[in-house]
Amino acid sequence: MAHGLLGGHNLSFAEINRTIADTLGVAPAARTIPAMLRRPLCAVVRLAERIPGRPAVIAADDLESGFYSRFYSSAKAEQRLGWPRWSHPSPVSIA
């Protein structure tokens, strides 16, 4: 079984989106969705998911997960596998 490892930099969603946009040569998103809209938006999307014959543009679970920050550590891979810490300032631009 193959495993993908990416570590060394924790970025906010805004930083990730800006880096991806820069890499693709496009403008980053102009606005973000305010956190207070998480519940009502997810409720509307959950209702839309129930419409038969019409695929949802985004799943409610995916929309909701965008409101949460996640940070991961590659320390275990570094210790057990000798995985080097990533020193490039923008790992996304190399991908």
Side-chain angles (χ1 to χ4, degrees):
M1 179 190 307
H3 296 280
L5 296 174
L6 178 63
H9 293 282
N10 285 317
L11 304 173
S12 68
F13 280 117
E15 292 170 315
I16 291 168
N17 290 334
R18 199 171 26 256
T19 302
I20 292 170
D22 288 346
T23 301
L24 296 175
V26 298
R31 294 188 232 164
T32 58
I33 300 171
M36 65 185 226
L37 294 178
R38 177 183 61 88
R39 284 186 183 209
L41 280 175
C42 289
V44 169
V45 172
R46 285 191 203 292
L47 288 172
E49 288 176 334
R50 294 176 173 220
I51 299 172
R54 181 175 176 175
V57 174
I58 185 171
D61 290 340
D62 293 334
L63 174 65
E64 189 165 19
S65 74
F67 284 94
Y68 298 103
S69 296
R70 293 167 217 70
F71 295 103
Y72 301 94
S73 171
S74 58
K76 187 175 179 181
E78 292 169 26
Q79 291 171 345
R80 293 187 179 183
L81 304 173
W83 187 261
R85 283 190 90 49
W86 192 266
S87 60
H88 192 279
S90 178
V92 174
S93 66
I94 293 190

